[in-house]
Amino acid sequence: MQINFNIRMVYVVLTLILFISEGILSQQDLEVLENQTETINMEDTGVESLDFVPGYVSCLNDRISLSFDNANLVDILKEISLKANVHFIYDDGLLDIKNVSIKVDDEKLNVVLEELLSSHNISYFEFEFSKLALAKTKKIDEKTGSVKGIVKDEEGEKLIGANVLVKELNIGSSADSRGSYIIKNIKPGTYSLEVSFMGYEKQTQKIRVNAGEILEINFTLKSTSFQIGGIEVVGTTDLLPKDVNTKTYINSGEIEHYQASSLKDVLDLVPGVQKTDNPGLGKTSQITVRGSESDQLSTFGTLIIVDGTPVSNNANLQFERLTGSNFGTSNLGGGVDLRTIPADNIESIEVITGLPSVRYGDVTAGVINVQTKIGASPNRLKIKNNPDTREGNIGGGFLLGDDGLSYNFNFAQSERDIRKDGDEYKRLTGQAVYSMNLFDNQLNMNNKINFQTIYDEEEPRGDQWKTHNYNRGFTLGFSQWGKYKPEDGVSSMDYNMFLTIRRENTMKSKMVQSDIRILPNGDTVSTYIGKVETKGLEWTAGGRLEWNRIFYTGDFIHKFMLGTDPQYNVNTGKGLLFDTLYSYYGPTSGNRPYSFDSIPGQFLMNIYAEDKITGNFLFDFSLMLGLRYEMYRPYKFNLSGLWGDGNLVESHQGTFLNPRVNLMVYLSDYNQFRLSIGTTSKSPSMNRLYPPEDVFRWRNPVDSTITYLRYDTRVPELKGYREAQYEAAFDQKISTLIGTSFSVYFKKRINEPKSISIPVFQYGNANGQDYFYYIDNYALYGNSGTTYSKGAEFTIRTSKIKELNMEFQIVGSYSYLKFLDNHILYDETPEASKGQYSNYNVPGADTLYGMLYPSGEKWEDRFQLNYYIKYTHPELGLWVTLRAEQLVNERNQTRNYQPVIVEMLNETQQASYYFDRSIKSKSVKWLFNLNVSKSLFQGGEVSFYVNNFLDDAAIRTYWSSPTKLDQESRNPNLTYGIEFSMIIDNLFRRND
């Protein structure tokens, strides 16, 4: 046979070299192969295998039937050779394998050979028609061994993603789409092999690993979960934390049972988070980890990641977004609006409250890692309703050959006030994910497209001020992520690429009243409709490339990680638009329109490395040593930085070297100690770097001339800020019933961006008369703030008590935050009667006018307990959760540093002085919530909740001033909601 194939010949030669180097082919077989390859005519046809040569039909497509039980592999191959008329070339020692069994009926030869040889690490190569060479797939390192196998459940279903861990080495693997796992490069010895999968009983087996051998261990796990309709109820399995970082895991079953509408609702389950609102979408919602939601930098420093893509709020320039008591506070310069992340499509949430790995950057207040549902799953419809929100969701996934396609669509509507029309929030969200495995499962790849559109409306009917506000933006996202695992079994490459486009389309309008003004055409107006719009695109693009490798040094094993995850944020478009003649801000306002195109983008670059060392020194331990180099808008490479003269890379917003150390010591099977020390940093938000221009109109009272003063409030060299964190924790397990954890932490955040007052003066001579006036002040951001925080947390939890069908949990948290605003304030009218005197020397005027003083400080602390009782009954298909929140104590104090001599104050002033600086306390309060989920039929269930079911408003009576007594309600109103969901696949199946 003549085959015109140059690439094919190269492949043959390379294969021969491999076979010879492995010592597999005998000299006689080599001569046979050499004679066969001499007949090949060499021309480049671009064909890569004999299967694709035009007119060529591989013998591997022939069908045969076999039946052998405990036979020698050589005998089986001889039978195949006779039946399929093929010739095998191999080394006799390679196939000296006994007790081989196989039974196939009319199956293709390639399938038969795969089943017969793959488990013995042998591959085949068709070098000529009906001639096959056999060889080792990969030469095994003679110094180490491997373990492989399949993980499945009792029904025989493969458990994709099951974790397999060599406990003593803390190395492992996860089961692929076929349920197979393999762990390579294991030093010879005796180990404990642990297999775990959420919702299944953990299994541990002792194994003996020998050099140069592959040990095959298969596992069948017993399920500990059960279904309530489509909700998976997962019992508590791990009573001790697995990771050195303090984390909270929330699974999809808990999310559905809780009936959350957005990520904000779900995060009520995180320790230390105080529940102040019922589930709903009416108000902007933000979250902070171990901080205060009133502190914008705490919410801004919380990193939220969805399927590997950061949901960034760095570039938010919506200065005129709809806000108010009914709509929530602005998240400009704060955290992501969590209403934009629907809860119904979330598979799991990992909340890292402790010091994170160096894999995570541009963060100071914790990480919220969200994984949505991907892969094959039943098609499921959900409908929920409560007094505030109506929501529908449909999603599922199916296989396309070896690939998978999943989808989800969600629509939600919130009525802020059911008594008003034109006062709604609507959210439409969808996503599709296509997943595939390539190169024999070496490369896993996921491709995702998602979109969302928001209609946030306010147009009260009959409003005399003609109010009409809206936010009608949309978001479109593209992302791809995956993992490549070479055949060496000890390294991998993780990658991620993403592009998010957010359309800003907001408008605010109202009737504006003013003094009678004369327009350029001579007309006069006293009222007009003022309107301001924001139109533009916010772009976030970036990715991650991360290399991982496992290696040994002596008896210590290292899991080394090296990576980078750059990100670019920019705004484009018209920006802030309004008519300055009919200004929304009033006829004398200095506000001016500005274009997003005039604002530069923000490029965040970094590189990080981490080594996780596992071994034994007195005790088993796991030590993570990490280093992350953050560059916020880098612009110059500085070689002198190598010897300490400045930074190696100069950046507009600063360059930060952040070391992190995490240590876990396994004292015994029942207790462990954890320690974390390190720093993180955060880039400043673009709204602080590039605030809108302000113009002040001043009329000189001396000569009546009009002067327009433009304040340059932009600070393009404002630096980022850093946080140092220290945490120690101890975990104890009592038998297999109770697990406890206790941790203490301290954090210090420095160089926070804070505003600084800049006074403005006008002085000179007009009409022969000298004049000097203080006319205005404006603010510039500077790195002058500091925040201290410290706290303690504990958790006591039980595994399921089978006699009661119950689990119990108590979570306690104490937090203390102290804010030092070290920036300087300006007061143009100091009062000598209070002991205040001018100390500001006006530049160029040599005049003391007004006074500068430090802004002051404030602190707050809170001690909170949360109690959980979880009752589950598989036979009844019932899940009931009772949650009680006890706010034991809450205090705060503000200290104003404005200079005052107390003895010079009158009685009323002294009372106000001491009252303003007194400690304000809030006494104990309780809040009780109940959730119930009940199966109705296979794949269908109903869930119901009632919050504050005791209808306790928790009224607090307090002094709002030295002479005024006020009251406030501290609990959300009694409310309830219901959700129905069902698997709809059966509705479309034909009854045969």
Side-chain angles (χ1 to χ4, degrees):
M1 175 181 291
Q2 297 294 316
I3 304 177
N4 298 323
F5 187 25
N6 193 11
I7 296 177
R8 179 64 177 175
M9 186 60 200
V10 174
Y11 187 30
V12 171
V13 173
L14 290 176
T15 304
L16 294 178
I17 294 173
L18 173 64
F19 284 14
I20 296 170
S21 66
E22 298 283 358
I24 294 171
L25 293 182
S26 64
Q27 183 62 35
Q28 179 181 0
D29 290 333
L30 178 60
E31 293 174 357
V32 172
L33 275 175
E34 288 176 341
N35 293 333
Q36 296 290 346
T37 56
E38 285 176 358
T39 65
I40 301 178
N41 182 24
M42 312 304 292
E43 280 189 17
D44 186 6
T45 64
V47 183
E48 297 185 358
S49 81
L50 287 173
D51 293 338
F52 298 100
V53 175
Y56 176 77
V57 179
S58 172
C59 67
L60 297 174
N61 293 318
D62 294 341
R63 294 182 175 272
I64 63 170
S65 298
L66 286 175
S67 180
F68 283 89
D69 187 27
N70 294 325
N72 189 290
L73 182 58
V74 173
D75 295 332
I76 298 176
L77 290 176
K78 288 179 179 179
E79 180 70 14
I80 293 175
S81 180
L82 292 174
K83 289 189 173 184
N85 193 26
V86 297
H87 179 64
F88 292 101
I89 297 177
Y90 54 87
D91 177 32
D92 290 338
L94 174 68
L95 301 184
D96 188 16
I97 301 173
K98 300 177 181 179
N99 299 321
V100 179
S101 300
I102 185 172
K103 185 175 182 179
V104 294
D105 184 27
D106 194 31
E107 190 62 82
K108 286 186 177 181
L109 180 58
N110 65 320
V111 177
V112 175
L113 293 177
E114 183 70 22
E115 180 178 345
L116 190 64
L117 303 175
S118 61
S119 61
H120 303 291
N121 205 33
I122 299 173
S123 64
Y124 54 89
F125 166 59
E126 186 180 8
F127 61 92
E128 179 66 76
F129 179 72
S130 295
K131 293 181 173 60
L132 303 175
L134 306 182
K136 283 258 186 173
T137 302
K138 185 179 184 300
K139 185 177 181 180
I140 301 173
D141 188 338
E142 297 300 329
K143 297 181 180 180
T144 63
S146 304
V147 59
K148 71 172 186 177
I150 295 175
V151 184
K152 58 184 179 180
D153 64 13
E154 294 175 300
E155 304 298 324
E157 294 293 328
K158 307 298 191 297
L159 296 181
I160 302 171
N163 293 311
V164 186
L165 179 71
V166 181
K167 292 185 65 176
E168 291 78 2
L169 304 177
N170 200 26
I171 62 172
S173 175
S174 58
D176 59 22
S177 59
R178 302 173 184 174
S180 300
Y181 75 91
I182 184 167
I183 307 173
K184 299 183 179 181
N185 202 33
I186 306 174
K187 282 194 171 185
T190 301
Y191 302 101
S192 298
L193 190 64
E194 180 183 276
V195 182
S196 62
F197 192 68
M198 182 174 291
Y200 290 82
E201 285 187 358
K202 184 187 301 180
Q203 283 193 21
T204 302
Q205 182 171 333
K206 286 290 185 180
I207 60 171
R208 174 69 186 176
V209 177
N210 298 316
E213 293 184 1
I214 298 179
L215 182 65
E216 184 170 352
I217 304 291
N218 298 321
F219 289 92
T220 300
L221 301 187
K222 182 179 180 181
S223 176
T224 60
S225 66
F226 65 93
Q227 298 289 128
I228 294 181
I231 298 177
E232 183 179 23
V233 185
V234 179
T236 301
T237 56
D238 293 311
L239 295 176
L240 295 180
K242 290 183 177 181
D243 301 303
V244 62
N245 321 91
T246 301
K247 298 180 180 180
T248 299
Y249 293 93
I250 305 171
N251 60 52
S252 61
E254 294 174 294
I255 295 170
E256 295 185 60
H257 178 59
Y258 192 60
Q259 298 175 61
S261 294
S262 70
L263 181 59
K264 173 60 170 67
D265 298 336
V266 181
L267 296 179
D268 287 341
L269 301 175
V270 177
V273 174
Q274 183 180 1
K275 185 172 180 60
T276 57
D277 291 307
N278 286 309
L281 301 171
K283 295 183 179 180
T284 302
S285 61
Q286 304 175 70
I287 193 67
T288 183
V289 176
R290 289 180 174 175
S292 172
E293 290 185 32
S294 62
D295 174 30
Q296 278 195 322
L297 292 181
S298 290
T299 59
F300 183 62
T302 301
L303 175 62
I304 297 177
I305 303 172
V306 179
D307 292 333
T309 298
V311 186
S312 174
N313 203 39
N314 289 0
N316 187 347
L317 293 177
Q318 286 193 316
F319 290 94
E320 293 302 334
R321 190 181 183 92
L322 181 60
T323 60
S325 59
N326 291 331
F327 311 97
T329 58
S330 172
N331 69 329
L332 183 70
V336 173
D337 187 354
L338 300 180
R339 293 180 300 175
T340 61
I341 305 176
D344 276 323
N345 192 40
I346 295 177
E347 177 65 28
S348 65
I349 301 175
E350 175 191 60
V351 182
I352 304 175
T353 55
L355 184 69
S357 161
V358 294
R359 173 182 285 117
Y360 303 106
D362 198 38
V363 55
T364 57
V367 179
I368 300 173
N369 199 347
V370 178
Q371 298 292 327
T372 63
K373 297 178 180 179
I374 62 174
S377 63
N379 298 285
R380 195 154 164 241
L381 174 68
K382 303 180 190 177
I383 301 173
K384 69 178 62 170
N385 183 64
N386 64 45
D388 174 84
T389 304
R390 284 147 297 284
E391 186 175 0
N393 191 91
I394 186 169
F398 48 89
L399 294 177
L400 299 173
D402 291 333
D403 302 336
L405 177 64
S406 60
Y407 71 95
N408 187 265
F409 295 98
N410 177 277
F411 176 75
Q413 179 192 33
S414 177
E415 290 277 358
R416 295 188 179 92
D417 190 336
I418 60 175
R419 297 168 298 180
K420 296 180 180 179
D421 292 329
D423 189 37
E424 298 87 21
Y425 176 94
K426 298 176 183 178
R427 181 191 69 194
L428 177 62
T429 308
Q431 78 170 42
V433 181
Y434 184 72
S435 305
M436 64 184 76
N437 292 298
L438 304 173
F439 310 119
D440 195 23
N441 284 344
Q442 286 184 268
L443 175 62
N444 168 259
M445 182 184 299
N446 302 277
N447 304 275
K448 173 181 173 181
I449 180 171
N450 61 282
F451 74 91
Q452 181 176 84
T453 184
I454 298 293
Y455 294 89
D456 199 1
E457 308 285 335
E458 182 191 24
E459 190 176 9
R461 183 175 298 176
D463 178 45
Q464 61 178 344
W465 295 104
K466 306 297 183 183
T467 301
H468 184 201
N469 304 319
Y470 64 71
N471 171 29
R472 297 174 181 169
F474 69 82
T475 300
L476 184 63
F478 309 89
S479 62
Q480 183 186 94
W481 72 95
K483 179 189 289 287
Y484 174 70
K485 296 186 292 185
E487 290 186 356
D488 60 18
V490 295
S491 65
S492 65
M493 187 72 72
D494 291 274
Y495 76 94
N496 179 31
M497 299 178 290
F498 59 86
L499 172 64
T500 303
I501 306 169
R502 189 170 74 183
R503 168 67 171 172
E504 306 292 1
N505 180 21
T506 65
M507 189 272 286
K508 292 169 65 175
S509 68
K510 64 181 179 180
M511 180 182 293
V512 178
Q513 288 185 329
S514 66
D515 297 332
I516 295 177
R517 57 182 299 187
I518 300 176
L519 302 179
N521 62 4
D523 294 337
T524 61
V525 296
S526 59
T527 60
Y528 60 87
I529 299 297
K531 182 172 70 173
V532 59
E533 298 176 280
T534 304
K535 293 187 179 295
L537 294 175
E538 180 184 317
W539 304 75
T540 301
R544 178 189 300 275
L545 186 62
E546 182 180 287
W547 176 69
N548 296 268
R549 185 171 179 83
I550 299 174
F551 62 92
Y552 290 92
T553 56
D555 292 329
F556 298 104
I557 188 167
H558 301 256
K559 296 173 70 175
F560 184 76
M561 175 176 67
L562 179 67
T564 181
D565 59 338
Q567 184 181 142
Y568 182 69
N569 302 279
V570 69
N571 287 273
T572 61
K574 296 179 180 179
L576 194 69
L577 304 172
F578 60 92
D579 187 337
T580 55
L581 187 61
Y582 298 97
S583 175
Y584 175 86
Y585 309 99
T588 61
S589 169
N591 290 6
R592 291 294 182 269
Y594 68 94
S595 170
F596 284 162
D597 292 328
S598 66
I599 299 174
Q602 186 183 49
F603 178 56
L604 309 181
M605 185 59 191
N606 58 74
I607 185 170
Y608 60 87
E610 184 176 83
D611 189 10
K612 185 175 182 180
I613 307 169
T614 303
N616 181 282
F617 182 75
L618 299 179
F619 298 98
D620 291 337
F621 72 90
S622 178
L623 174 64
M624 291 170 56
L625 301 173
L627 195 65
R628 187 178 179 97
Y629 195 58
E630 300 267 16
M631 296 157 277
Y632 302 140
R633 280 187 69 210
Y635 65 90
K636 184 175 70 174
F637 190 75
N638 177 27
L639 284 177
S640 62
L642 292 173
W643 49 84
D645 187 9
N647 293 305
L648 182 62
V649 177
E650 299 291 345
S651 305
H652 290 287
Q653 269 62 70
T655 302
F656 298 86
L657 184 64
N658 294 317
R660 301 177 199 172
V661 179
N662 291 285
L663 172 67
M664 176 178 279
V665 180
Y666 305 93
L667 302 175
S668 72
D669 290 339
Y670 292 92
N671 46 41
Q672 59 194 24
F673 173 76
R674 295 178 283 130
L675 180 67
S676 299
I677 302 173
T679 64
T680 59
S681 60
K682 185 76 178 78
S683 61
S685 58
M686 292 181 69
N687 75 295
R688 293 183 172 94
L689 295 171
Y690 308 104
E693 181 186 53
D694 191 14
V695 179
F696 182 73
R697 180 181 181 272
W698 180 67
R699 178 181 178 274
N700 191 327
V702 176
D703 58 9
S704 298
T705 58
I706 302 297
T707 301
Y708 290 91
L709 302 172
R710 294 181 178 270
Y711 305 141
D712 185 6
T713 57
R714 298 188 177 192
V715 281
E717 298 302 316
L718 181 69
K719 304 304 179 185
Y721 53 98
R722 170 178 280 161
E723 182 172 270
Q725 180 171 334
Y726 313 86
E727 181 176 5
F730 180 77
D731 311 307
Q732 174 73 46
K733 182 170 66 172
I734 302 174
S735 182
T736 58
L737 181 63
I738 300 175
T740 64
S741 293
F742 178 79
S743 65
V744 293
Y745 65 87
F746 173 80
K747 300 194 292 183
K748 180 181 180 180
R749 197 170 65 207
I750 60 174
N751 295 329
E752 301 170 339
K754 297 291 184 179
S755 61
I756 302 173
S757 296
I758 309 295
V760 180
F761 299 88
Q762 285 290 307
Y763 47 89
N765 184 282
N767 302 325
Q769 180 181 350
D770 292 331
Y771 64 87
F772 177 91
Y773 294 104
Y774 163 79
I775 61 172
D776 195 16
N777 72 81
Y778 64 96
L780 285 179
Y781 279 103
N783 295 103
S784 60
T786 301
T787 297
Y788 296 91
S789 60
K790 58 185 178 182
E793 298 171 349
F794 73 87
T795 301
I796 303 173
R797 63 189 305 180
T798 71
S799 57
K800 186 173 183 178
I801 303 174
K802 295 182 179 179
E803 294 78 6
L804 301 175
N805 288 323
M806 287 185 178
E807 299 174 31
F808 300 87
Q809 183 177 4
I810 302 175
V811 178
S813 65
Y814 170 79
S815 62
Y816 172 91
L817 291 94
K818 184 177 182 179
F819 306 95
L820 297 175
D821 295 340
N822 302 321
H823 59 283
I824 302 300
L825 298 179
Y826 177 78
D827 188 346
E828 72 276 12
T829 58
E831 298 181 49
S833 63
K834 296 181 179 181
Q836 300 172 348
Y837 304 97
S838 297
N839 63 4
Y840 180 72
N841 193 0
V842 179
D846 195 24
T847 301
L848 291 176
Y849 191 93
M851 67 175 180
L852 298 175
Y853 62 93
S855 61
E857 66 179 61
K858 62 179 179 179
W859 64 264
E860 59 185 56
D861 71 349
R862 183 173 70 201
F863 178 39
Q864 179 176 320
L865 294 171
N866 291 82
Y867 308 87
Y868 302 86
I869 301 176
K870 177 181 175 180
Y871 174 84
T872 55
H873 200 298
E875 289 76 15
L876 295 178
L878 181 64
W879 181 359
V880 180
T881 302
L882 174 65
R883 293 174 291 113
E885 176 186 293
Q886 180 188 11
L887 184 62
V888 180
N889 193 24
E890 187 174 10
R891 304 179 300 170
N892 69 84
Q893 183 183 27
T894 301
R895 296 175 181 174
N896 189 337
Y897 285 168
Q898 187 176 30
V900 169
I901 298 177
V902 179
E903 291 76 10
M904 298 179 66
L905 303 178
N906 60 40
E907 185 177 347
T908 301
Q909 291 172 332
Q910 285 190 13
S912 295
Y913 176 86
Y914 288 116
F915 178 83
D916 292 340
R917 289 159 176 78
S918 64
I919 297 176
K920 313 298 191 300
S921 297
K922 297 181 180 181
S923 59
V924 64
K925 81 170 184 72
W926 287 85
L927 176 66
F928 293 90
N929 303 319
L930 181 69
N931 292 75
V932 180
S933 297
K934 178 68 174 72
S935 61
L936 301 176
F937 48 83
Q938 185 175 0
E941 82 288 333
V942 64
S943 296
F944 173 79
Y945 78 85
V946 55
N947 288 345
N948 191 11
F949 60 79
L950 296 182
D951 198 16
D952 178 13
I955 300 296
R956 172 193 172 220
T957 302
Y958 67 101
W959 292 98
S960 58
S961 72
T963 59
K964 185 179 181 182
L965 196 63
D966 275 337
Q967 289 186 331
E968 68 169 344
S969 175
R970 301 163 63 197
N971 274 343
N973 295 329
L974 183 152
T975 192
Y976 53 88
I978 191 168
E979 175 182 300
F980 169 76
S981 73
M982 64 176 294
I983 297 173
I984 61 175
D985 298 55
N986 293 335
L987 298 178
F988 302 98
R989 290 179 180 170
R990 295 177 57 185
N991 294 321
D992 296 331

